[in-house]
Amino acid sequence: INLLGSLSLGGNGQSVILDQGAYSLHDTLSYSIGKHSIRVGGGFTRYQNDLLAFNYLAGMIILSYPDFLLGQSGIQNGTGLSDVYESIDFPSETPRRWRVLNADAWVQDDFKVSPRLTLNIGFRYEREGDEGDLLGRNTAFNFALANPNPPVSGSLAGFVVPNNYKGTLPAGVTQFDNNLSINGDGQNTLNPRFGFAYRLPHTERFVLRGGYGVFHSRITGQPFLQLISNPPFGQFRVTPDPYNAAASLQSPFAAPPVIPSFISYYPPNSPICATNPSACALSTQTFAANFRPPMVQTWNMDLQTQLANNWVLDIGYVGQHGTRLLIGRSLNEALTATSSNAIRGQT
């Protein structure tokens, strides 16, 4: 309970119960022949991340002490506006059984070309697996499939479900051919590596080193955790006045949630939401369908010299360039209507 500008009762109200595990098998072989020192390796790792329970707060926002003490609905206080300005809850079916398969194979040759020059040449294949859910609840929203001008009756175009989804597909919902609900692009990554060390001629005091490499990385599980709020398994309901007029402290939620074992509900993407948001309450988080692991290219050059027995001077340059880095975007922001640019008849 949040009394605006004053006290707050109840704390954060969230808790997560996880059962996590990793099963890994890797091996490495080293072999030296002549001027070559060769190493090869590879393996795989299977990650499991079982979300056993996620409890989210139910909340009320109240604007003043009189509203808090009275706690009346809009009918009871005669204003048409509830003393409970806003009600928040999260009816949901949150358990998940996420699984990820990662794999790698690599080779590196340290080649001593001459007493002054050594080359390091390597290549790494790495599979950065996306997260699938054994329960078939990896649902998402694909903006490329959405209807930009939905009818007043609503549209489910844009909602996507995985291939192991266990419910009946409503009209307009798309089923993917994998358990990710995204394309699964770029999971197999190629990472060349090159380096050298060269002692400059006519001196024993200067060594020049340099290198270049490509690296791919996994993102954390936090963005995937946000997807548990997606329809049809979860729905954040934030209902303010005037749509909250029936709420009171005795019954703070105008529409008490009924939570079956499976919430078969998709809020429509409809123009009616502009005049009655509580009828829609569409709040969805998603990954871009063509999401792929972030990539960073790194290069460096370094000159080292011995000034005296106990003194070394090192001058270096390091560069990095990241692509496909994870960012968040609000793709459903309100447009600005003007008299010359009406939006759904509104100026």
Side-chain angles (χ1 to χ4, degrees):
I1 301 176
N2 186 352
L3 185 53
L4 208 63
S6 182
L7 56 85
S8 178
L9 305 174
N12 180 272
Q14 300 185 53
S15 65
V16 180
I17 302 176
L18 290 170
D19 181 14
Q20 298 174 302
Y23 304 90
S24 184
L25 177 63
H26 283 79
D27 201 6
T28 302
L29 173 67
S30 299
Y31 183 68
S32 296
I33 177 173
K35 296 182 178 180
H36 298 269
S37 179
I38 302 172
R39 288 173 290 166
V40 297
F44 66 88
T45 302
R46 176 74 167 179
Y47 294 99
Q48 70 175 39
N49 192 359
D50 291 343
L51 178 62
L52 304 180
F54 177 83
N55 299 318
Y56 189 78
L57 60 86
M60 293 177 285
I61 295 178
I62 301 173
L63 300 184
S64 68
Y65 272 104
D67 288 337
F68 177 58
L69 294 174
L70 292 172
Q72 295 179 337
S73 69
I75 295 177
Q76 291 171 328
N77 63 29
T79 68
L81 300 176
S82 170
D83 291 333
V84 180
Y85 168 73
E86 185 172 275
S87 300
I88 305 166
D89 67 340
F90 179 41
S92 58
E93 185 72 17
T94 58
R96 297 291 188 274
R97 296 179 65 189
W98 289 304
R99 297 295 184 271
V100 177
L101 178 62
N102 284 2
D104 62 82
W106 55 273
V107 59
Q108 178 165 316
D109 182 11
D110 297 331
F111 177 28
K112 195 172 184 63
V113 180
S114 71
R116 290 185 175 273
L117 176 63
T118 300
L119 300 180
N120 314 108
I121 304 171
F123 185 83
R124 180 180 182 88
Y125 158 80
E126 192 158 21
R127 184 185 192 276
E128 296 289 355
D130 289 325
E131 293 204 19
D133 176 28
L134 298 183
L135 299 179
R137 295 173 179 169
N138 263 4
T139 58
F141 192 85
N142 188 328
F143 284 88
L145 302 177
N147 183 350
N149 295 293
V152 174
S153 59
S155 172
L156 300 182
F159 286 105
V160 295
V161 298
N163 60 358
N164 58 343
Y165 174 78
K166 296 178 175 59
T168 301
L169 283 184
V173 177
T174 301
Q175 188 166 24
F176 261 49
D177 59 0
N178 57 40
N179 67 349
L180 309 172
S181 291
I182 58 176
N183 297 341
D185 296 336
Q187 295 184 81
N188 298 308
T189 69
L190 306 178
N191 303 274
R193 311 283 168 82
F194 172 77
F196 71 90
Y198 180 55
R199 191 165 68 247
L200 300 183
H202 312 298
T203 178
E204 300 299 320
R205 290 180 174 269
F206 288 88
V207 176
L208 182 66
R209 298 182 179 90
Y212 169 83
V214 175
F215 302 83
H216 288 81
S217 63
R218 294 189 61 213
I219 63 171
T220 68
Q222 177 60 220
F224 288 94
L225 179 64
Q226 302 302 316
L227 303 185
I228 67 173
S229 64
N230 281 348
F233 302 102
Q235 181 192 5
F236 281 116
R237 302 196 308 177
V238 181
T239 310
D241 271 335
Y243 313 105
N244 206 36
S248 66
L249 281 180
Q250 291 178 319
S251 180
F253 304 104
V258 178
I259 307 178
S261 59
F262 170 73
I263 300 174
S264 54
Y265 174 70
Y266 281 89
N269 170 28
S270 167
I272 203 172
C273 301
T275 56
N276 187 7
S278 62
C280 300
L282 173 57
S283 176
T284 187
Q285 303 205 40
T286 189
F287 275 83
N290 62 346
F291 167 82
R292 58 179 59 223
M295 182 180 76
V296 175
Q297 300 177 71
T298 300
W299 56 92
N300 65 82
M301 188 71 73
D302 179 275
L303 180 64
Q304 191 177 81
T305 182
Q306 181 180 357
L307 300 179
N309 288 339
N310 297 320
W311 290 86
V312 171
L313 175 66
D314 195 306
I315 301 174
Y317 167 82
V318 176
Q320 288 187 330
H321 178 65
T323 51
R324 309 186 190 106
L325 304 181
L326 188 67
I327 60 173
R329 292 179 177 172
S330 297
L331 295 181
N332 196 29
E333 293 181 350
L335 302 177
T336 301
T338 65
S339 56
S340 60
N341 181 32
I343 298 176
R344 302 198 189 283
Q346 302 299 314
T347 59

